[in-house]
Amino acid sequence: MSAAAKLRSTVKGRPEGDSREIVVHQRSNEIFFAVVGPVGAGGSRVMASLQRACRVAGYDCHPIKASDLIRQWSEATGVSLPPSSPKTLDMVEAYQNAGDAMREKDAAEVARAALERIAEYRAKATFQDYRKGEPVQPDAKKRAYLIESIRHPAEIYLLRRIYANAFALIGVVCEENERERRILGKYFTDPERRRPENKRRVQDFMKRDADDALNKKGQHVTDAFFEADFFIDNTRSDPEDEQQFLDEPLARLVSIIIHDRIIRPTIAETAMHHAHSARVRSACLSRQVGAALLDQGGTVVATGTNEVPQAGGGVYGEGPEGGENDHRCAFRPPALRYCSSNKEQN
């Protein structure tokens, strides 16, 4: 059979068509979201709003909770976990410990378990046999897989590598004092909330969640949070606000991903775009920083980046690279290449 005939034969049960028909028939309509946010930020509330946005867009939703994956792993490996109800701070801390143990082998182990769960969902929905470790081909149905909640950057890197532009990470923003108030209110009675030892315990719990300095494969939500593609503020607690402050922005995000309508960037998004473009002009080895200055109407006034000033005006890098006088760290001979700032700090 010729290559062209093989390609035509992939369109099962359909008349032969042009290349556009073949591509449209074969492409997947699955999208993937994950939510990352510090404890108390209200990730579950954002997940519920995201499900509503996906359903309105015509997607079947498959939520995947990290706590369920950790419990499944614990049952398979004999690690003891307390009952999931009633929900106490002791129980949540036990899940933190189990999650750390699960990541000992691989910092992305929870994400790997999520990939396996997605493959199981897909196989069931498409009437295919599921064999662990083997890929399951998607069909053309619209499905959204929603992962709650990311606790380590390695999980993000794996999901992005697998799902590419079909994946988006949502960062949930919430003021720290509001998060502390929510955690105290959720796990302690009114008299218990006032005790200094319980306040200290909640603060320690929040610090471990943000950045476990004693365990590289522990919880590092702060590092993961800054990898987000889209940020949403969940500081408000009034359920009447959900339509305006959660549902509408998340519906906009879904439309950006699936291209079902034209979405123009906000002034803030335009500013961040120009700031990022300025950032990549920097040749600094340790960190690249970009900035954009806009007026009230959204017109870009100026952009800037961290670079080395050049004698006579301007900065290095604006003209042709290299030359005898370019002594920036990145352009030294390999044996002499180091970050001057880090060397001075050390």
Side-chain angles (χ1 to χ4, degrees):
M1 183 184 292
S2 68
K6 286 181 180 178
L7 183 59
R8 287 194 296 270
S9 70
T10 62
V11 189
K12 298 176 182 178
R14 291 169 59 91
E16 293 183 8
D18 62 16
S19 58
R20 185 181 300 176
E21 277 189 82
I22 296 172
V23 171
V24 168
H25 182 67
Q26 291 297 308
R27 75 179 180 186
S28 168
N29 281 320
E30 294 182 336
I31 53 176
F32 307 84
F33 294 98
V35 172
V36 59
V39 289
S44 298
R45 188 181 176 203
V46 170
M47 280 282 286
S49 185
L50 183 60
Q51 284 190 62
R52 290 194 291 271
C54 289
R55 289 194 181 109
V56 168
Y59 284 81
D60 290 335
C61 293
H62 300 278
I64 299 168
K65 297 185 70 173
S67 57
D68 292 340
L69 302 175
I70 292 170
R71 176 169 285 280
Q72 184 182 39
W73 174 86
S74 299
E75 291 171 353
T77 56
V79 175
S80 177
L81 277 176
S84 56
S85 182
K87 201 166 187 178
T88 63
L89 191 56
D90 287 333
M91 186 210 79
V92 178
E93 288 176 333
Y95 271 82
Q96 280 187 326
N97 295 335
D100 288 357
M102 186 175 177
R103 285 187 293 268
E104 281 181 4
K105 179 182 176 183
D106 181 354
E109 192 66 27
V110 178
R112 291 177 64 175
L115 295 177
E116 188 175 329
R117 182 67 62 87
I118 289 169
E120 290 174 349
Y121 278 143
R122 185 186 291 152
K124 184 176 180 181
T126 57
F127 306 101
Q128 300 180 58
D129 293 329
Y130 172 69
R131 296 181 181 85
K132 187 173 181 178
E134 294 185 9
V136 179
Q137 294 298 323
D139 56 15
K141 296 291 179 63
K142 297 169 74 172
R143 298 188 185 89
Y145 300 94
L146 317 177
I147 303 170
E148 177 196 4
S149 57
I150 297 293
R151 310 322 282 171
H152 195 285
E155 298 165 0
I156 303 166
Y157 304 149
L158 178 61
L159 292 168
R160 281 203 174 124
R161 185 67 180 266
I162 299 297
Y163 299 126
N165 291 337
F167 171 77
L169 179 66
I170 300 168
V172 185
V173 179
C174 185
E175 293 176 6
E176 186 172 342
N177 58 349
E178 173 63 17
R179 293 194 290 112
E180 183 178 331
R181 186 191 68 79
R182 289 177 184 177
I183 296 169
L184 284 167
K186 186 173 184 178
Y187 298 116
F188 297 98
T189 62
D190 191 51
E192 291 174 334
R193 294 170 206 161
R194 300 190 181 98
R195 295 176 187 169
E197 62 271 23
N198 288 334
K199 288 189 175 183
R200 284 194 298 270
R201 184 182 176 189
V202 168
Q203 289 166 358
D204 290 340
F205 173 65
M206 292 168 65
K207 286 178 183 177
R208 177 186 174 183
D209 173 75
D211 181 20
D212 190 344
L214 301 178
N215 186 356
K216 287 185 178 181
K217 294 184 179 179
Q219 300 204 142
H220 294 276
V221 174
T222 298
D223 291 338
F225 177 80
F226 289 113
E227 294 287 336
D229 303 295
F230 190 86
F231 295 93
I232 190 162
D233 191 349
N234 191 34
T235 302
R236 295 171 181 252
S237 297
D238 188 349
E240 294 180 3
D241 290 337
E242 285 194 2
Q243 176 65 29
Q244 181 179 357
F245 294 99
L246 292 181
D247 286 17
E248 289 181 8
L250 290 170
R252 181 172 178 270
L253 172 62
V254 172
S255 287
I256 290 171
I257 298 295
I258 67 176
H259 306 290
D260 64 338
R261 58 191 172 107
I262 295 175
I263 303 290
R264 297 187 65 192
T266 64
I267 291 177
E269 288 167 343
T270 299
M272 288 301 294
H273 168 77
H274 287 287
H276 178 76
S277 297
R279 171 182 177 270
V280 298
R281 297 202 311 262
S282 171
C284 181
L285 289 177
S286 60
R287 61 192 63 82
Q288 294 79 40
V289 182
L293 178 65
L294 282 73
D295 66 17
Q296 193 171 19
T299 301
V300 179
V301 176
T303 62
T305 186
N306 56 326
E307 255 302 352
V308 180
Q310 188 169 233
V315 296
Y316 281 101
E318 291 180 329
E321 297 290 351
E324 294 180 1
N325 296 322
D326 193 342
H327 300 297
R328 286 178 295 170
C329 306
F331 298 96
R332 294 186 177 119
L336 302 175
R337 198 169 295 158
Y338 59 85
C339 176
S340 300
S341 295
N342 285 351
K343 184 178 180 181
E344 184 66 24
Q345 290 167 7
N346 293 338

